[in-house]
Amino acid sequence: MKIIGNMGKTKKSPQNINFEEKNNFEYLLNKIVRDVKISEGRKSLEDILRCIYRNQPISTKKIGQEVKLPLPIVSNVRTILERNGILKRSEKGALYTNYGLNIVEKNLKFRIKKDLKCPTCKGRGIILDDKFSKILEKVKKYSKMRPVVDTSIDQSYATPETATYRAAFMADRGDLEGKRVLFIGDDDLTSIPTGLSNLCDEIVVMDIDDRLLSLINEISNKENLNIKTVKHDFRREIPKEYFNKFDVVFTDPPYTLDGLKLFLSRCVEGLGIGGEGTIYLAFSHKPIDVYLSVQRIINSMNFVIYEHIPGFNYYEGSEIIGNTTFLSRLVGKNIKYPNEGIDLLKLYTGEVKPTLRYYKCLKCGSVYEIDGKNRRIENLICKCGSKRFKMIKRKKNKRAE
Amino acid sequence: MKIIGNMGKTKKSPQNINFEEKNNFEYLLNKIVRDVKISEGRKSLEDILRCIYRNQPISTKKIGQEVKLPLPIVSNVRTILERNGILKRSEKGALYTNYGLNIVEKNLKFRIKKDLKCPTCKGRGIILDDKFSKILEKVKKYSKMRPVVDTSIDQSYATPETATYRAAFMADRGDLEGKRVLFIGDDDLTSIPTGLSNLCDEIVVMDIDDRLLSLINEISNKENLNIKTVKHDFRREIPKEYFNKFDVVFTDPPYTLDGLKLFLSRCVEGLGIGGEGTIYLAFSHKPIDVYLSVQRIINSMNFVIYEHIPGFNYYEGSEIIGNTTFLSRLVGKNIKYPNEGIDLLKLYTGEVKPTLRYYKCLKCGSVYEIDGKNRRIENLICKCGSKRFKMIKRKKNKRAE
């Protein structure tokens, strides 16, 4: 029997509390929600507890992916639960103690020991056939050639599997065969498996990053994919000659509401204002109030959420956002720009939520503060010469607000 | 080389047209869209052609399920394509002629011969484990005891598989263990597999149909499920003692916008106005403009479409709506009634779209006209004594408007 921790910090604890009693356990849960500031509240905390129950032992990273919460939140919750004797730590990740197991089975009525996610398709609902499995092998090879991410414009690379599943998904839904497909940004190189499918009439990739465009060109030439690349800053309209020229657009915009509206506006231009078309949108899972704004923006453009799969996309290195995003297939008619205006100064997450991150050198242990604007992790070299770091902490950058 | 038909009726045809030429084929497609009045237009027609390409030979019913279009539309399209030499008929369903195959491969660039839907989960993303497989066997048995459907209140029975997958889906998402679950209408008996899962704290079923409630009571008593049933007409608020008492609500309302708003309002009452909670909504795939209204209603109640799976639910005997509906998991916070008013005279499809249906006796061939209000198919007995009929035609009931 242990006591309630305080944000994971060691504090002396005056009383022993028995969490087998429902009221005490509820008190603990509510305190954790308050202290750790879990925006979705009690429900998300239960998701963490349930996820560990069904998958133990499980790493913090994997919990974050499953419950779609940022890692620091999951990590704080885990620490408090450990301090209170409910969880313990093993090499393979978080585990319930016998005491903890008894508490959640009694008070939260947990009983399902293994989730029902389809083992064949991992919940995505589609599989890669022989053709797409071969495409995946090529994509794996090419994705190693990607340049270092530029976090100031929210770059973050989807895994080769994700890019290939996206292409297979679009192919399955009939959105590639004979279609003209536009990518509004493509740091994930989703255009490569799309091109390798050899199904589209035309593929155009627009992006602001020269490094990515030249890599796409290089692969396209080598594989004879006929992908056209256009350097473009989405703060401006896409070039007039590309208005109303496409059937399908794929985009994975910055995960801010203004970034979303901006990128979706460019999608609408490509499909043709007043016309119809399909958008594939990858975007991060948000707290409900923001999520509602996301869906209202989509509907305001006369697009229906025709299909919506949480956790479809996995990313490399971006553990901080829980590492997965949803994929939405949006079908529109009489399409138009979003109703609301766009704030061009709030496009990227670094602009909306200025954050300080602390990175520790994996070689010598030195710690560096990174604000993401003046100093970026991808350019950091330790005084010892190493370039390998691990993020150990992040906090709001009050100076920047 | 055949000619363009006219709504499937034989007409003399003055000219031979070669559809291998893209312009001629486009002309045919546009003419079909106009004549058959496919509300989603060219896109849906392509869906039909693609579906046959990937699944041939395929029955009209199966095409309707896959493309989510009403059977009479699919049937008319099929007939015109046959008359123009693009499709042919076999015992197992629609097939391309060699001529037709060449046309769609050349003009629509079809190349994927088999879709990528996951064979393990049929695209639903979850599987039935041993426990739910056993539950399915029981549900199959009990579903045979269901009374005859009452089409005047849009009853239409989901298959036992559908009911069981729904329960498994809710269980997987953590919405059953220790939860209080309300069913706003339950002609599908989804409460039975939910109860058999033995996970919930409480299950309450409200429905207007005494026959269903007594069947649910009978099964609940026999299996010791402890399901509580309440007879209720959803045109009125649910009884006050059930306000704010549930964590999760399941509903499969009448497929009209007013029916949707009404049933969702009752869900909100059960979850608690101003509170939070989860709704599972089964509803039919609609043309985009109506679909947009559906999603705007959901968002106006402060519910996010957290997950949205088209074609999740299959129904027995209701081939006319393409036989599948979507399943949406809606997560709400600060929840409220929908913004717009509800027209209590437009709840059921028979009230919104008065339809005359013609049924042919399978024994003697006599044909009967059914308006769904004064005369209903479930009560029909042929003069020859048979009760088995097949719908052969339907049309708008202009008298009723």
Side-chain angles (χ1 to χ4, degrees):
Chain A
M1 244 77 58
K2 302 269 182 66
I3 49 82
I4 297 176
N6 193 330
M7 277 295 287
K9 283 172 205 136
T10 319
K11 273 215 167 177
K12 62 176 163 8
S13 44
Q15 43 188 150
N16 276 0
I17 302 174
N18 182 1
F19 297 121
E20 282 170 341
E21 278 182 31
K22 191 161 172 78
N23 284 345
N24 291 343
F25 188 60
E26 286 296 324
Y27 176 79
L28 172 67
L29 295 186
N30 290 329
K31 184 162 164 47
I32 293 177
V33 168
R34 264 197 328 273
D35 288 353
V36 183
K37 298 191 184 70
I38 308 179
S39 58
E40 287 319 292
R42 164 68 191 259
K43 197 169 176 309
S44 290
L45 178 55
E46 261 192 55
D47 286 344
I48 294 175
L49 289 163
R50 190 184 308 108
C51 175
I52 298 171
Y53 184 79
R54 293 188 186 176
N55 301 285
Q56 58 176 347
I58 178 170
S59 70
T60 305
K61 180 180 161 182
K62 198 95 183 68
I63 299 170
Q65 286 180 353
E66 292 286 328
V67 301
K68 296 160 189 56
L69 284 174
L71 285 216
I73 299 268
V74 176
S75 175
N76 280 339
V77 168
R78 201 180 149 184
T79 305
I80 300 177
L81 290 169
E82 279 167 13
R83 280 172 201 274
N84 286 285
I86 290 164
L87 293 182
K88 59 186 178 186
R89 211 165 262 267
S90 81
E91 264 184 33
K92 288 183 178 170
L95 273 174
Y96 278 95
T97 59
N98 286 338
Y99 171 66
L101 211 56
N102 187 32
I103 288 167
V104 293
E105 289 182 344
K106 190 172 158 204
N107 291 318
L108 299 177
K109 313 278 175 74
F110 287 169
R111 239 164 297 169
I112 299 181
K113 302 239 190 246
K114 195 173 173 305
D115 65 34
L116 303 169
K117 191 188 267 185
C118 174
T120 310
C121 66
K122 307 275 185 294
R124 285 180 171 123
I126 56 154
I127 51 160
L128 302 184
D129 60 9
D130 284 353
K131 177 179 162 175
F132 276 100
S133 300
K134 278 176 199 148
I135 289 175
L136 173 58
E137 290 317 306
K138 284 196 179 181
V139 175
K140 277 183 182 166
K141 190 182 74 185
Y142 288 127
S143 64
K144 287 186 188 133
M145 297 160 66
R146 293 186 288 198
V148 175
V149 287
D150 181 349
T151 53
S152 75
I153 54 168
D154 286 0
Q155 278 185 348
S156 143
Y157 293 146
T159 61
E161 285 77 9
T162 297
T164 309
Y165 267 98
R166 288 169 173 178
F169 191 75
M170 292 192 280
D172 185 68
R173 270 36 175 184
D175 289 325
L176 296 188
E177 288 158 301
K179 303 297 184 196
R180 299 158 302 171
V181 182
L182 171 66
F183 289 82
I184 292 295
D186 190 27
D187 54 352
D188 298 327
L189 303 188
T190 307
S191 61
I192 300 303
T194 305
L196 287 167
S197 77
N198 197 24
L199 294 168
C200 308
D201 251 22
E202 199 183 335
I203 299 176
V204 175
V205 174
M206 296 185 189
D207 204 291
I208 198 171
D209 188 337
D210 273 323
R211 306 171 305 165
L212 280 165
L213 295 178
S214 65
L215 175 59
I216 290 170
N217 279 331
E218 187 188 330
I219 303 171
S220 173
N221 289 337
K222 196 171 160 190
E223 297 279 356
N224 206 11
L225 304 182
N226 207 19
I227 297 174
K228 181 162 185 184
T229 60
V230 178
K231 177 169 180 168
H232 189 71
D233 180 344
F234 295 120
R235 282 174 290 194
R236 289 180 289 109
E237 281 184 355
I238 65 171
K240 281 283 182 220
E241 67 261 38
Y242 294 104
F243 269 55
N244 193 11
K245 281 276 177 284
F246 300 92
D247 305 298
V248 176
V249 190
F250 191 100
T251 192
D252 189 339
Y255 301 142
T256 61
L257 290 180
D258 287 288
L260 176 73
K261 282 185 276 185
L262 189 74
F263 277 53
L264 286 181
S265 299
R266 303 305 162 239
C267 296
V268 166
E269 290 162 359
L271 296 171
I273 295 159
E276 51 186 65
T278 301
I279 296 175
Y280 285 87
L281 170 69
F283 203 74
S284 73
H285 306 280
K286 295 284 187 189
I288 290 184
D289 46 342
V290 186
Y291 218 141
L292 264 177
S293 301
V294 169
Q295 299 196 336
R296 284 185 180 133
I297 289 166
I298 291 167
N299 284 167
S300 82
M301 300 165 65
N302 286 339
F303 278 89
V304 160
I305 300 162
Y306 198 88
E307 212 158 344
H308 187 76
I309 307 173
F312 189 99
N313 307 293
Y314 287 74
Y315 298 82
E316 285 167 355
S318 66
E319 281 83 0
I320 218 67
I321 56 161
N323 220 13
T324 77
T325 63
F326 66 71
L327 185 66
S328 248
R329 180 170 180 249
L330 312 176
V331 180
K333 206 174 159 179
N334 303 320
I335 64 178
K336 55 194 188 76
Y337 286 125
N339 278 346
E340 304 160 59
I342 299 169
D343 185 344
L344 291 180
L345 296 177
K346 288 186 175 172
L347 297 183
Y348 299 108
T349 49
E351 294 164 341
V352 175
K353 273 194 190 175
T355 303
L356 291 176
R357 294 180 170 80
Y358 296 87
Y359 287 86
K360 189 177 177 178
C361 172
L362 288 175
K363 200 170 158 196
C364 75
S366 305
V367 174
Y368 297 85
E369 181 187 278
I370 301 284
D371 63 8
K373 300 300 290 179
N374 301 315
R375 193 176 202 181
R376 303 216 306 264
I377 180 62
E378 53 269 32
N379 302 325
L380 188 66
I381 301 176
C382 181
K383 57 189 177 188
C384 78
S386 168
K387 290 180 183 176
R388 297 181 57 231
F389 298 90
K390 187 186 170 180
M391 193 177 75
I392 51 169
K393 188 179 160 189
R394 69 165 186 175
K395 65 175 191 186
K396 249 186 169 173
N397 185 356
K398 285 177 186 160
R399 277 168 276 164
E401 280 179 305
Chain B
M1 242 76 63
K2 301 267 183 68
I3 49 83
I4 296 174
N6 193 331
M7 277 296 285
K9 284 172 204 136
T10 320
K11 273 218 168 175
K12 62 177 166 3
S13 46
Q15 43 188 148
N16 277 358
I17 302 173
N18 182 2
F19 297 122
E20 283 171 337
E21 277 183 33
K22 190 159 173 80
N23 285 344
N24 291 342
F25 187 59
E26 286 297 323
Y27 175 78
L28 172 68
L29 295 186
N30 289 329
K31 185 164 165 44
I32 293 177
V33 168
R34 263 198 327 275
D35 288 353
V36 183
K37 299 191 183 68
I38 307 179
S39 58
E40 287 319 292
R42 165 63 191 262
K43 197 169 174 314
S44 291
L45 179 55
E46 262 192 54
D47 286 344
I48 295 175
L49 289 163
R50 189 185 309 108
C51 174
I52 299 171
Y53 184 79
R54 293 186 186 177
N55 300 287
Q56 56 175 349
I58 179 170
S59 70
T60 305
K61 179 179 162 183
K62 200 95 183 66
I63 300 170
Q65 287 179 353
E66 293 287 327
V67 300
K68 298 159 189 54
L69 284 175
L71 285 217
I73 299 267
V74 176
S75 174
N76 280 338
V77 168
R78 201 180 150 186
T79 306
I80 300 177
L81 292 169
E82 279 168 13
R83 280 173 201 275
N84 286 285
I86 290 164
L87 294 181
K88 60 186 177 186
R89 212 164 261 269
S90 81
E91 265 183 30
K92 288 183 178 168
L95 274 174
Y96 278 96
T97 60
N98 285 337
Y99 171 65
L101 210 57
N102 187 31
I103 288 167
V104 292
E105 289 183 343
K106 191 174 156 200
N107 291 318
L108 299 176
K109 315 279 176 73
F110 286 169
R111 238 165 298 171
I112 299 181
K113 302 240 190 245
K114 196 173 173 305
D115 65 34
L116 302 169
K117 190 188 267 184
C118 174
T120 310
C121 67
K122 307 276 185 293
R124 284 181 172 122
I126 56 153
I127 50 160
L128 302 185
D129 60 8
D130 283 352
K131 175 177 162 177
F132 277 100
S133 300
K134 278 176 200 147
I135 289 174
L136 173 58
E137 291 316 306
K138 285 197 179 179
V139 174
K140 277 183 183 166
K141 190 181 74 185
Y142 288 126
S143 63
K144 287 185 188 132
M145 298 160 65
R146 293 187 287 197
V148 175
V149 287
D150 182 349
T151 54
S152 75
I153 54 169
D154 287 2
Q155 279 185 347
S156 143
Y157 293 146
T159 61
E161 285 79 9
T162 297
T164 310
Y165 267 98
R166 286 170 173 177
F169 192 76
M170 291 191 282
D172 186 68
R173 270 36 174 186
D175 289 325
L176 296 189
E177 285 159 304
K179 303 296 183 196
R180 300 158 300 170
V181 182
L182 171 65
F183 288 84
I184 292 294
D186 190 27
D187 53 353
D188 297 328
L189 302 188
T190 306
S191 60
I192 301 302
T194 305
L196 287 167
S197 77
N198 197 23
L199 295 168
C200 308
D201 251 22
E202 199 182 336
I203 299 176
V204 175
V205 174
M206 296 186 188
D207 204 291
I208 198 172
D209 188 338
D210 273 323
R211 306 171 306 164
L212 279 165
L213 295 179
S214 65
L215 175 59
I216 291 170
N217 279 330
E218 187 188 330
I219 302 170
S220 174
N221 289 337
K222 195 171 159 190
E223 297 278 355
N224 206 10
L225 303 182
N226 207 17
I227 297 174
K228 179 161 187 189
T229 60
V230 179
K231 179 170 177 166
H232 189 71
D233 179 344
F234 296 119
R235 281 173 292 194
R236 289 182 288 109
E237 281 184 356
I238 66 171
K240 282 281 183 221
E241 67 260 39
Y242 294 105
F243 269 55
N244 194 11
K245 280 276 177 285
F246 299 92
D247 305 299
V248 176
V249 190
F250 191 100
T251 192
D252 189 339
Y255 301 143
T256 61
L257 290 180
D258 287 288
L260 175 73
K261 281 184 279 185
L262 188 74
F263 277 52
L264 286 181
S265 299
R266 302 308 162 235
C267 296
V268 166
E269 288 161 0
L271 296 171
I273 295 160
E276 51 186 64
T278 302
I279 297 176
Y280 284 87
L281 170 69
F283 202 73
S284 74
H285 306 282
K286 294 285 186 189
I288 290 183
D289 46 343
V290 186
Y291 219 140
L292 263 177
S293 300
V294 169
Q295 300 195 336
R296 284 186 180 131
I297 289 166
I298 291 167
N299 284 167
S300 82
M301 300 164 65
N302 286 339
F303 279 90
V304 161
I305 300 163
Y306 199 86
E307 210 158 346
H308 186 75
I309 307 173
F312 189 99
N313 307 293
Y314 287 73
Y315 299 82
E316 284 166 358
S318 66
E319 280 83 1
I320 219 65
I321 55 159
N323 221 11
T324 77
T325 63
F326 66 71
L327 186 67
S328 248
R329 180 170 181 249
L330 312 177
V331 180
K333 204 173 159 179
N334 303 319
I335 64 178
K336 55 193 189 75
Y337 285 126
N339 278 345
E340 303 160 60
I342 299 170
D343 185 343
L344 291 181
L345 296 177
K346 288 187 175 171
L347 297 183
Y348 299 108
T349 50
E351 294 165 340
V352 175
K353 273 195 190 175
T355 305
L356 292 176
R357 293 181 171 79
Y358 296 87
Y359 286 87
K360 190 178 176 177
C361 172
L362 288 175
K363 199 169 160 200
C364 76
S366 304
V367 173
Y368 296 85
E369 182 187 277
I370 301 285
D371 62 10
K373 300 300 289 180
N374 302 314
R375 194 175 202 183
R376 303 214 307 261
I377 180 63
E378 52 269 32
N379 301 325
L380 189 65
I381 302 177
C382 183
K383 58 190 176 188
C384 78
S386 169
K387 288 180 182 175
R388 297 182 57 233
F389 298 90
K390 186 185 172 182
M391 193 178 76
I392 54 169
K393 190 180 157 187
R394 70 164 187 176
K395 65 175 190 185
K396 246 186 173 172
N397 184 357
K398 284 176 185 157
R399 277 169 276 164
E401 280 179 306

